[in-house]
Amino acid sequence: MIEILKKTWWKYVTVLILLYVLIGGLLVPLAPGIASIYPINFASDTAVEFTFTGYNTHFQDAKDLQIWFKNGTEFYCADKTETITNEKAKVTFSFPFRNTQKLIGTNFDLVINDNQDGTIHLGDAVTVLPHQPADSTTDSSALKPSCEHAASITKLSHFTFPYREILYQSIRNTFYHVPMWFAMMLILIFSTVYSIRYLNKGNIEDDIIASQAVNVALMFGALGLTTGMFWATYTWGKPWPNDPKLNGAAVGVIIYLAYIVLRGSLTDEIKRAKISAVYNVFAIVIFTLFIFIIPRLTDSLHPGNGGNPAFSKYDMDSHLRLFFYPAVIGWCMLGFWVLSIGVRIKLLELKKSSK
Amino acid sequence: MLFNTTISLFKKDLLIEFRNKYVIGGIALYVLSSVMVIFFSLNYNESLKELSPVIWGILFWLIILFSSINAIANGFFREPEGRAYYYYYLTSPQAIILSKLLYNFIFTILLISLAFMVFSVMIGDPVSNVPLFFATALLGGTGYSFLFTLMGAIASRAGNNATLVAVLGFPIIIPLLIFITKLTAASIGNSEFTNEAFKNMALLGAFDVMQLMLAYVLFPYIWRD
């Protein structure tokens, strides 16, 4: 294993992969989306002018701008559309009374289609309130019922990352925060394998690899916590929401900090190797329990827990995956690179002291 | 063979304990004075009446945590270094660890009983589902004693550093504490066994079994120099 770690070629590969992830992950724009709509509810049987703001959209430049409200499978056409800028438009919209009676209290999605932005969508954009006669500004007989969903849906032509409410640009953190935990976990498993190997064979090199691997894993753990805290501040409102996965990760990091304290308190080389290997095996079991089992028992803000989807179609689209998988591989390889440097330094120190 | 050796080692531990009665007395006094500290700090704030049952459970298990870490972790420190070599020639490490686990388990259960008696006299006894609380005490006591036995064994090899037991043990005790406090809250709230309680009990039991296996497999490596 050390021989492979000493080779140079895979370090060039690591640099290339990480450059690809860093540059691509930061430069690819977000897909167009609808940022907000005002007002968010309206009474039936009235004509209401909605103003909505887009993100990365081209309302003015595009041709065939079409706007619908969608309820279930039915589409309702706007009466009048007026674009103000590329990212702002006004639309007047109304329901006939007879048609909305059954729709009162339900939510409508906003769907926009044009030839530059493709089809964009804001779920549960507006709510229909009961009709109030005083508000009535239009003759209900003049209003159109649901209309044909006429135009063909246009596919977005350029390469983008998905636009998600709450996440917005921070979706790029997927390439940093998530791979940190993958790398940490992989290197910890690697460390445990070498600890078990040490216990079976008693080769001091295995102990050096295991202990250096824990150091590298802790570095990734610290980075994972930091990137996660930035992300949480942006999306969940505070850096440390009371989330079981977060607390589990923190305890996991403390368990491995205790490993370092344990090593520090032992001076005899063989004894240190043996006892810290035993603790390392114990620690990985508890750590797995913390990261994988306890968070699944309770609700969590993280995807994949408490009924939230994990890496399903909803969270990850093919464009994100194109950078996410290389990011996971790249950060793991970087971890092994750092590990190989640490191991080689320790091996040289060992050689020097034994002379 | 293993069973007989374990039992005779267990008897030896018991005998040592009875010869040095001050250790048992010390731990009992530790529990008593910890409860006193809690009692007075609550009583003179006029907050004893407002003590919620869940907080009662948490205080109870924290007292057990601190007294058992003192009692168990020191179990490996007590015998002089030279005697370890004698055992090394005499028995297998499996017998040593099993006898220690058994001994510490019984010790912790006695500790829990004592603490519960003192708690119910001084602070009150809100437990409504006694069988569930009993099961929690049994499973939780097992978890505490097994974990601190192994951590005590590790720390005893690292120069009898008492801080080390806490540093190593506390992060690992947290999942155990989560299940125990959940179960204690369930045993206080209602008198029925819920599905949730059964699930937590099963997880606690699985945690105990896992620790037993890890201790059994890993102890021989710590034992030999």
Side-chain angles (χ1 to χ4, degrees):
Chain A
M1 191 67 206
I2 297 172
E3 291 312 307
I4 302 169
L5 288 179
K6 275 181 183 170
K7 292 258 184 340
T8 321
W9 62 268
W10 62 273
K11 288 163 193 166
Y12 290 115
V13 178
T14 309
V15 172
L16 284 178
I17 292 175
L18 283 180
L19 274 178
Y20 162 75
V21 170
L22 289 175
I23 294 171
L26 288 175
L27 289 187
V28 172
L30 282 195
I34 306 159
S36 65
I37 182 161
Y38 180 84
I40 54 166
N41 46 38
F42 67 97
S44 65
D45 216 15
T46 49
V48 184
E49 190 182 57
F50 293 99
T51 312
F52 57 88
T53 331
Y55 184 86
N56 269 354
T57 48
H58 306 84
F59 294 147
Q60 256 178 343
D61 303 344
K63 280 176 239 158
D64 314 327
L65 179 69
Q66 285 172 294
I67 297 165
W68 301 281
F69 275 106
K70 180 170 166 262
N71 183 302
T73 52
E74 286 203 81
F75 283 80
Y76 297 87
C77 291
D79 295 347
K80 200 177 79 189
T81 310
E82 182 194 340
T83 51
I84 302 164
T85 61
N86 260 342
E87 298 196 332
K88 210 170 190 110
K90 273 182 182 172
V91 54
T92 313
F93 192 77
S94 53
F95 286 118
F97 180 67
R98 59 174 189 283
N99 217 33
T100 49
Q101 192 69 305
K102 65 176 195 291
L103 300 172
I104 283 168
T106 58
N107 293 332
F108 281 64
D109 302 345
L110 179 65
V111 182
I112 299 176
N113 185 63
D114 67 49
N115 67 339
Q116 283 205 21
D117 303 325
T119 305
I120 52 180
H121 172 265
L122 180 70
D124 298 333
V126 292
T127 313
V128 185
L129 300 177
H131 167 67
Q132 284 160 333
D135 297 343
S136 193
T137 52
T138 46
D139 177 16
S140 60
S141 61
L143 293 168
K144 292 186 295 272
S146 63
C147 68
E148 283 298 303
H149 182 206
S152 59
I153 301 280
T154 324
K155 267 211 133 177
L156 188 62
S157 51
H158 42 277
F159 190 89
T160 54
F161 288 144
Y163 172 88
R164 297 252 181 273
E165 287 148 51
I166 304 172
L167 288 179
Y168 307 113
Q169 292 283 359
S170 78
I171 202 164
R172 297 171 204 279
N173 205 354
T174 318
F175 311 134
Y176 308 99
H177 173 67
V178 188
M180 293 304 156
W181 298 110
F182 276 77
M184 180 184 180
M185 208 57 222
L186 184 71
I187 290 173
L188 282 180
I189 292 168
F190 184 78
S191 167
T192 314
V193 169
Y194 271 84
S195 278
I196 294 170
R197 246 177 76 133
Y198 176 78
L199 288 177
N200 284 333
K201 291 183 185 161
N203 187 352
I204 199 76
E205 277 185 12
D206 292 342
D207 173 61
I208 288 173
I209 294 175
S211 70
Q212 289 302 311
V214 169
N215 289 347
V216 177
L218 275 174
M219 181 192 84
F220 276 111
L223 288 174
L225 280 179
T226 323
T227 49
M229 275 157 77
F230 276 115
W231 211 359
T233 314
Y234 189 73
T235 54
W236 299 332
K238 49 182 174 178
W240 203 275
N242 194 7
D243 184 75
K245 213 160 196 177
L246 221 69
N247 297 339
V251 174
V253 169
I254 290 175
I255 288 176
Y256 280 98
L257 285 174
Y259 172 87
I260 292 183
V261 172
L262 177 66
R263 281 188 79 85
S265 66
L266 287 154
T267 41
D268 182 71
E269 210 169 63
I270 305 293
K271 211 177 187 180
R272 178 172 63 202
K274 222 178 220 175
I275 289 172
S276 60
V278 166
Y279 181 78
N280 201 9
V281 174
F282 196 79
I284 194 83
V285 177
I286 304 293
F287 184 70
T288 321
L289 190 81
F290 254 118
I291 295 287
F292 293 109
I293 297 172
I294 290 182
R296 274 171 184 58
L297 297 176
T298 42
D299 285 344
S300 169
L301 297 166
H302 277 83
N305 300 107
N308 300 334
F311 299 110
S312 65
K313 270 182 195 160
Y314 181 82
D315 289 297
M316 288 288 227
D317 76 343
S318 54
H319 293 174
L320 273 182
R321 281 173 211 276
L322 220 52
F323 289 93
F324 176 71
Y325 292 133
V328 170
I329 296 166
W331 289 114
C332 288
M333 282 167 81
L334 187 77
F336 280 104
W337 189 353
V338 178
L339 171 63
S340 76
I341 294 169
V343 169
R344 287 165 78 177
I345 291 173
K346 285 285 164 192
L347 284 179
L348 284 176
E349 278 174 8
L350 186 75
K351 216 177 195 177
K352 200 179 159 194
S353 64
S354 62
K355 253 178 196 170
Chain B
M1 173 61 198
L2 183 65
F3 181 75
N4 288 339
T5 330
T6 308
I7 294 299
S8 42
L9 279 167
F10 170 72
K11 278 182 187 157
K12 178 240 11 167
D13 275 341
L14 215 61
L15 205 64
I16 292 178
E17 202 68 66
F18 278 113
R19 281 194 189 144
N20 301 321
K21 285 194 191 66
Y22 77 94
V23 181
I24 294 184
I27 292 297
L29 201 58
Y30 189 99
V31 172
L32 193 67
S33 44
S34 319
V35 181
M36 290 285 257
V37 167
I38 288 179
F39 174 70
F40 281 111
S41 52
L42 287 173
N43 200 21
Y44 284 87
N45 286 320
E46 308 278 318
S47 47
L48 192 58
K49 279 173 231 149
E50 296 159 19
L51 184 69
S52 82
V54 177
I55 302 289
W56 180 93
I58 291 168
L59 285 176
F60 178 76
W61 284 105
L62 282 180
I63 296 272
I64 304 292
L65 174 65
F66 282 102
S67 38
S68 67
I69 205 171
N70 269 301
I72 295 169
N74 292 327
F76 271 95
F77 305 159
R78 225 171 292 144
E79 293 184 60
E81 182 100 357
R83 209 178 290 170
Y85 297 110
Y86 177 57
Y87 293 139
Y88 178 61
Y89 284 110
L90 212 57
T91 72
S92 66
Q94 279 85 1
I96 300 260
I97 190 68
L98 285 180
S99 73
K100 285 279 182 200
L101 289 174
L102 180 66
Y103 176 77
N104 286 333
F105 166 67
I106 288 170
F107 197 93
T108 312
I109 293 300
L110 288 177
L111 206 67
I112 291 173
S113 320
L114 175 70
F116 184 72
M117 278 194 291
V118 182
F119 246 71
S120 49
V121 169
M122 296 192 82
I123 298 178
D125 168 22
V127 175
S128 54
N129 188 347
V130 179
L132 180 58
F133 186 79
F134 187 75
T136 311
L138 214 59
L139 288 170
T142 317
Y144 271 22
S145 56
F146 285 7
L147 179 70
F148 287 134
T149 307
L150 190 60
M151 290 304 131
I154 289 177
S156 74
R157 308 301 292 161
N160 288 358
N161 187 342
T163 338
L164 203 58
V165 186
V167 168
L168 299 179
F170 279 1
I172 296 175
I173 205 85
I174 292 170
L176 203 67
L177 215 55
I178 291 172
F179 298 135
I180 290 175
T181 46
K182 269 187 182 173
L183 280 169
T184 310
S187 75
I188 287 166
N190 52 0
S191 52
E192 289 164 18
F193 282 85
T194 54
N195 277 341
E196 179 76 16
F198 276 119
K199 197 176 84 178
N200 282 330
M201 249 154 53
L203 283 165
L204 200 54
F207 193 84
D208 291 350
V209 172
M210 192 191 71
Q211 284 193 86
L212 178 66
M213 288 194 309
L214 281 173
Y216 188 81
V217 172
L218 294 176
F219 183 72
Y221 294 108
I222 316 170
W223 177 242
R224 290 182 195 200
D225 257 332

